[in-house]
Amino acid sequence: MRAGPSQEDIRRHNLGALLRHVHLGGPTSRAELTSKMGLNRSTIMALTSDLTAAGLVREELPRETGRAGRPSLVVRPESARVYVFAFDVGPDRLAVARVGLGGVILDRREAVRLRGPFELEELTGILAGFARQMRRKTRADTVCVGAAAAVAGGVRKGDGMIRFGPNLGTEEVPFGEELGRRLGLGLPVSVGNDANLAALAEHSRGVGAAVRDLIYLHGDVGIGGGIIAGGHLLGGHDGYGGEVGHMVVNPGGRACGCGSHGCLEAEVGERALLETAGRLAGEQHGRDAVRAVVDAADRGDIVAQEALKKVGDWLGLGVANLVNIFNPEMVIFGGMLREIYLGSAAQVRTRLTLHAMAPQREKLRLRTSALADDATLVGAAELAFAHVLADPLEVLARANA
């Protein structure tokens, strides 16, 4: 007969749940926490006292409420004291942020990444250097409780190995291990696919907050996706789930970096749009080049309009397939797909009408990312905070040690 959870297990769970409420929801009164968590006032008081003693939260009197009686104390995350490092490695940029508990970006650095082969030592050296710069500026009483990175590639969830990353020019790279060594913080570096982490970010802090079933589609050079089902990320057996960019929508179509033909990424990605618009030979590429096509279409450029229409047709077909399979409440377009969707929304909706089953599309909402270019960085921060939210006191004790 299996024993139930111990009192210590229950306490650990409740501490994590309370900290998660404050981390995601911001300053929250004890009374609100009592209601949201379904616990009595004395239990909430004991939990907040433990978290306050650990330096994870602080309690303050609320601003003037206008109500009679003794006001309920407000619990606030110690954003300036407790932080993580978040890293974002994309085809065209590197970004590092120091993110405080509560999701506050305290400091950040960015650099342009030239497209080409992935040089592990050079790249991790740049990222670790940025982190050290930011750490030198922190107060003596601050503590780093985690680190995580979002990368544009397939990441094995067990060890942070980048198994494939055609748009980064790499495969079989022990990225998490090397970055952790370079950082020298004594903390493991969690690594996740950029689109998966952006999906988590939009689900927790963006346009998809409180939406339990959503699909996030991310575009840079290629197309990635993150699927939230029942409030949880579908990561797959080894962590490679969500590679919707390699769903074949046009058999025999354009060659894809994965080795196949006619993938959504090949028909909708940056190269397809620029080539169809007659701009592939130009020096400009990346999101600026995509925005230039959308702007030209807005100004009446027929070639740019036709390019967006064609790409929008393939995007709409891919979205229709995903809607039929997963029945999401919302589809979010991020990265360069924000601009592509806004320039081809009519084609996307037409394809949905033609190819998505009526019950699946009846309540579907199409949205663009609220977190914009920070979605992947915010997602990396949330991945880094996952450990402390699961066991706040234990993680903090290890970090202080």
Side-chain angles (χ1 to χ4, degrees), residues 38-39 148 168 203 359:
L39 300 173
L168 290 178
H203 174 60

Side-chain angles (χ1 to χ4, degrees), residues 307-375:
L308 277 172
K309 181 178 179 181
K310 185 173 182 179
V311 167
D313 276 337
W314 291 122
L315 178 59
L317 182 59
V319 172
N321 287 334
L322 293 170
V323 167
N324 285 337
I325 296 169
F326 293 103
N327 185 29
E329 180 183 346
M330 182 180 291
V331 175
I332 304 169
F333 300 93
M336 72 169 186
L337 281 185
R338 285 179 294 140
E339 283 76 23
I340 289 177
Y341 168 70
L342 291 173
S344 63
Q347 282 69 39
V348 172
R349 292 183 179 278
T350 296
R351 284 293 187 181
L352 279 169
T353 301
L354 291 173
H355 301 295
M357 298 176 67
Q360 277 92 326
R361 69 171 190 267
E362 281 176 349
K363 298 180 180 179
L364 178 68
R365 291 179 284 164
L366 303 180
R367 297 289 186 269
T368 55
S369 169
L371 298 172
D373 291 346
D374 280 343

Side-chain angles (χ1 to χ4, degrees), residues 246-261:
H246 299 290
M247 168 178 55
V248 176
V249 294
N250 182 23
R254 295 172 181 270
C256 183
C258 72
S260 185
H261 286 77

Side-chain angles (χ1 to χ4, degrees), residues 197-324:
L197 294 184
L200 285 174
E202 290 290 344
H203 174 60
S204 59
R205 297 188 179 279
V207 70
V211 176
R212 292 183 57 78
D213 297 275
L214 66 82
I215 294 174
Y216 172 88
L217 297 176
H218 185 79
D220 272 317
V221 178
I223 307 295
I227 300 163
I228 304 290
H232 301 284
L233 178 71
L234 290 181
H237 178 65
D238 286 320
Y240 311 131
E243 288 291 339
V244 301
H246 299 290
M247 168 178 55
V248 176
V249 294
N250 182 23
R254 295 172 181 270
C256 183
C258 72
S260 185
H261 286 77
C263 294
L264 183 66
E265 175 172 307
E267 302 296 344
V268 177
E270 174 192 310
R271 182 180 180 85
L273 178 65
L274 297 183
E275 185 176 275
T276 307
R279 297 176 180 231
L280 194 59
E283 294 183 1
Q284 194 178 43
H285 61 263
R287 295 186 189 180
D288 288 341
V290 171
R291 291 184 182 113
V293 174
V294 176
D295 290 344
D298 287 341
R299 295 194 304 269
D301 185 314
I302 300 300
V303 176
Q305 289 175 348
E306 287 300 314
L308 277 172
K309 181 178 179 181
K310 185 173 182 179
V311 167
D313 276 337
W314 291 122
L315 178 59
L317 182 59
V319 172
N321 287 334
L322 293 170
V323 167
N324 285 337

Side-chain angles (χ1 to χ4, degrees), residues 44-59:
I44 293 294
M45 182 174 67
L47 294 172
T48 56
S49 295
D50 286 345
L51 293 174
T52 299
L56 289 162
V57 302
R58 67 181 186 275
E59 293 186 287

Side-chain angles (χ1 to χ4, degrees), residues 89 113 117-124 151 153-156 159-165 168-179 191 240:
V89 180
R113 179 182 184 271
F118 190 105
E119 298 294 342
L120 179 61
E121 292 187 2
E122 178 184 4
L123 189 144
T124 54
V151 299
V155 179
R156 186 164 61 200
D159 57 8
M161 171 79 75
I162 302 177
R163 293 296 308 282
F164 55 90
L168 290 178
T170 188
E171 62 180 16
E172 304 296 338
V173 173
F175 181 74
E177 177 184 338
E178 180 63 16
L179 182 56
V191 186
Y240 311 131

